[in-house]
Amino acid sequence: QVQVVESGGGLVQPGGSLRLSCAASGSSGSIYVMGWYRQAPGKQRELVATIISGGSTNYADSVKGRFTISRDNAKNMVYLQMNSLKPEDTAVYYCNALAGTPRVLYWGQGTQVTVSS
């Protein structure tokens, strides 16, 4: 069983920055993909960014150029640097990790990000 725990959310003004962190623990093998998703009130959960163990990344169009995902494979950590934040970035941000054989997708509990003046 893999535990996924996010941290780093909070309240920030428009144009500001936040860095989210996510730790995945308990995996006996490789963690293939780690990613960030978000869910705003009344909306479906959506992809923000993903990163595979080799370092390739994928971003939602809405965050390209503003958010950066990175990963520390040795620590099973993934980070999301969020710059130039907009009110529409307000959401609960969830981290996930694809791990194990067979591969299972594990989710964290989420961390709230609020962008408001």
Side-chain angles (χ1 to χ4, degrees):
Q1 188 75 13
V2 176
Q3 292 78 44
V4 178
V5 179
E6 306 96 335
S7 61
L11 174 64
V12 63
Q13 291 187 344
S17 298
L18 274 178
R19 186 186 192 223
L20 304 183
S21 299
C22 171
S25 61
S27 175
S28 59
S30 298
I31 297 179
Y32 304 103
V33 184
M34 298 188 77
W36 290 97
Y37 287 69
R38 66 187 182 186
Q39 187 167 17
K43 295 188 177 181
Q44 290 188 331
R45 191 173 297 188
E46 63 178 7
L47 167 74
V48 176
T50 60
I51 184 167
I52 66 172
S53 56
S56 294
T57 59
N58 180 50
Y59 293 93
D61 287 342
S62 60
V63 306
K64 283 181 181 177
R66 299 189 298 123
F67 291 9
T68 302
I69 189 170
S70 60
R71 179 171 174 169
D72 185 333
N73 288 331
K75 297 180 179 179
N76 286 337
M77 296 282 295
V78 65
Y79 308 96
L80 186 68
Q81 178 66 43
M82 304 185 294
N83 299 328
S84 302
L85 282 161
K86 305 175 181 180
E88 51 263 44
D89 294 317
T90 295
V92 178
Y93 283 70
Y94 297 90
C95 176
N96 68 15
L98 183 66
T101 303
R103 298 183 185 184
V104 177
L105 188 62
Y106 299 92
W107 290 89
Q109 293 298 307
T111 185
Q112 177 70 47
V113 172
T114 302
V115 184
S116 175
S117 56

